[in-house]
DNA sequence: CCTACAGGTTCTGTATTACAGAACTTAGTT
DNA sequence: AACTAAGTTCTGTAATACAGAACCTGTAGG
């Protein structure tokens, strides 16, 4: 029994959460192994998920995520109102820096990578859209925190600089630089981040990335639609 | 008790489904009214939804959809692999026709509007992405059925024509034209559809829309990434 | 300042449900 | 034909989720 909720609901949601970019389809047995639930339990829970449009089961017996997630994900995304403007920016930044570029927003004590454009280079920092990362580590995390928690002591310096560079904070081989995206109403909408191999991301590359992101962030400020 | 599934799971999923483009946030009482559940039941089910990232509750006590839906919706969308290619097409078709343009896929006995670009005109056919519509009515529904149910008698003529025009099939004032999008492997990927006021959508406008959609569909065929 | 109302939260007895897990079915492989 | 693995069905029972009353809190109006 869960502390406040409904155990069977969380079991069903954990079935959904077992899907990922690399696990877009799963058999009954794979779901059972992944979630630790008995197959008969999985069968019963997936029947409800299918009935409500959250899962689909093909004639091959494999389960895939269902269209209701698209609809709800689109509602969530439109609440954010950003993709249309952010994606082209990320592409231009990849062209300029030749490194991977992301856009993050804060969610509680974490940050979420909403949009991502990976570097064309074979050796690159890999990350998936939708992934959650800590707030207290990594360039984008610190930038988001600096602009959303005014009383956080290190935030003053970050706001003064207007950017943050992390060298191996989350992963020893990865370096990243990040700048905030603030709209014309003065509200933080998220953080842009360029990340790549630390050995490549020298002072010159850092400077180039920061200037390019600052320019794009300023452009975005003029174009972002007002949020609610 | 549900026939095959878990009743509490379906209740929780119905809470999620109560959200829409026009109801992006709801109070506890609104969710209770919308779903017909007791407030204490809603409180318990939403606790699980929040714990798993499917809902968020602000300090204003309002519930909003959570980031896990973005992540799962993105997985679903990337499974489809289309948005990147379809959206620019829809914009060009809106420019050409000055009417609303959609892209649909079949899902069981329904079709889903995956992507949508509305007409800039004040009076226009409105629809939301993610919405489900019948398969047996409306231009896109018939096109999808013609290419996915070879034995459906009216399908032969539609395949021969390569398009379908509906005049007031779903809504008396709305007319639509639709063409299939078939990739280079010969697989149907969905249907493009232009829709607008019937009084405006005369023979000339229909012809223009169909030719423009056919051209775009042919271009898409060369660019669509292979699906699984 | 007091009262009323509406929304949100807590609590609990009990009927109902979801589960574990065995047994069975089906399909594929050797 | 035998074996294995995945999927499906079944059921006794422990555990759960629920209804709905009671309570709490904040706001508005008199």
């Amino acid at each position: 029994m869960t502390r406040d909720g409904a155990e069977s609901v969380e079991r069903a949601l954990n079935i959904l959460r077992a899907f990922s970019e690399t696990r877009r389809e799963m058999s009954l047995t794979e779901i059972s192994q992944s979630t630790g639930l008995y197959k008969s339990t999985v069968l019963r829970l997936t029947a409800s998920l299918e009935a409500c449009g959250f899962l689909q089961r093909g004639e091959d017996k494999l389960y895939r995520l269902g269209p209701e997630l698209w609809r709800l994900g689109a509602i969530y995304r439109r609440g954010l109102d950003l993709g249309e403007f952010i994606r082209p920016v990320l592409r231009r930044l990849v062209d300029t820096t030749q490194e991977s570029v992301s856009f993050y927003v804060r969610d509680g004590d974490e940050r979420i990578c909403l949009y991502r454009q990976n570097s064309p280079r074979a050796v690159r920092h890999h990350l998936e859209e939708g992934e959650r990362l800590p707030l207290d580590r990594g360039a984008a995390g610190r930038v988001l925190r600096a602009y959303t928690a005014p009383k956080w002591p290190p935030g003053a310096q970050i706001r003064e600089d207007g950017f943050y560079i992390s060298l191996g904070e989350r992963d020893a081989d990865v370096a990243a630089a990040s700048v905030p995206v603030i709209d014309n109403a003065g509200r933080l909408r998220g953080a842009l981040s360029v990340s790549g191999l630390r050995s490549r991301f020298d002072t010159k590359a850092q400077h180039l990335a920061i200037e390019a992101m600052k320019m794009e962030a300023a452009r975005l400020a003029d174009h972002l639609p007002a949020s609610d």
Side-chain angles (χ1 to χ4, degrees), chain A:
Chain A
M1 174 46 184
T2 65
R3 78 241 132 254
D4 297 316
E7 185 161 359
S8 54
V9 171
E10 296 187 18
R11 287 177 156 193
L13 297 176
N14 283 338
I15 290 175
L16 292 178
R17 291 163 80 193
F19 286 84
S20 70
E21 190 56 43
T22 53
R23 286 184 107 175
R24 296 211 209 129
E25 56 188 28
M26 282 192 276
S27 65
L28 177 75
T29 302
E30 286 173 319
I31 291 177
S32 171
Q33 288 166 340
S34 178
T35 57
L37 300 167
Y38 280 96
K39 287 189 282 180
S40 53
T41 303
V42 174
L43 214 47
R44 192 165 30 75
L45 297 174
T46 56
S48 293
L49 290 164
E50 279 180 86
C52 296
F54 285 74
L55 276 187
Q56 285 169 304
R57 195 175 196 193
E59 288 182 7
D60 53 4
K61 303 297 184 146
L62 296 179
Y63 288 95
R64 296 174 181 83
L65 293 172
E68 190 64 14
L69 291 160
W70 164 264
R71 187 183 80 84
L72 294 172
I75 292 169
Y76 177 81
R77 186 185 64 203
R78 280 202 287 282
L80 300 165
D81 233 339
L82 290 174
E84 198 101 346
F85 299 86
I86 301 290
R87 288 193 190 284
V89 166
L90 300 191
R91 283 190 211 102
R92 286 198 294 272
L93 287 169
V94 167
D95 285 345
T96 301
T97 63
Q98 292 299 301
E99 301 291 358
S100 301
V101 184
S102 298
F103 181 80
Y104 297 90
V105 295
R106 181 172 180 161
D107 178 51
D109 291 329
E110 296 178 299
R111 56 181 157 119
I112 302 171
C113 176
L114 282 194
Y115 305 104
R116 175 81 174 183
Q117 187 75 31
N118 282 314
S119 166
R121 283 171 159 163
V123 177
R124 67 196 190 196
H125 176 224
H126 182 78
L127 196 68
E128 289 176 12
E129 285 184 3
E131 224 172 293
R132 303 173 157 275
L133 297 165
L135 205 64
D136 62 347
R137 203 168 304 166
R142 289 178 181 273
V143 165
L144 290 171
R145 196 168 174 193
Y147 286 82
T148 54
K151 286 167 181 167
W152 184 51
Q157 188 62 53
I158 298 174
R159 288 195 297 277
E160 184 178 329
D161 294 339
F163 65 89
Y164 187 85
I165 295 171
S166 73
L167 303 171
E169 280 186 18
R170 277 186 61 243
D171 185 309
D173 296 316
V174 173
S178 180
V179 306
V181 177
I182 298 168
D183 66 19
N184 280 338
R187 287 178 63 249
L188 181 78
R189 303 298 291 270
L192 288 168
S193 175
V194 171
S195 55
L197 267 183
R198 193 169 168 179
S199 57
R200 241 170 20 212
F201 206 50
D202 57 17
T203 308
K204 187 182 169 190
Q206 288 165 19
H207 184 259
L208 175 71
I210 289 165
E211 291 311 305
M213 284 192 284
K214 280 187 167 182
M215 193 176 69
E216 292 287 2
R219 273 201 213 166
L220 275 171
D222 294 330
H223 293 93
L224 288 177
S227 59
D228 288 331

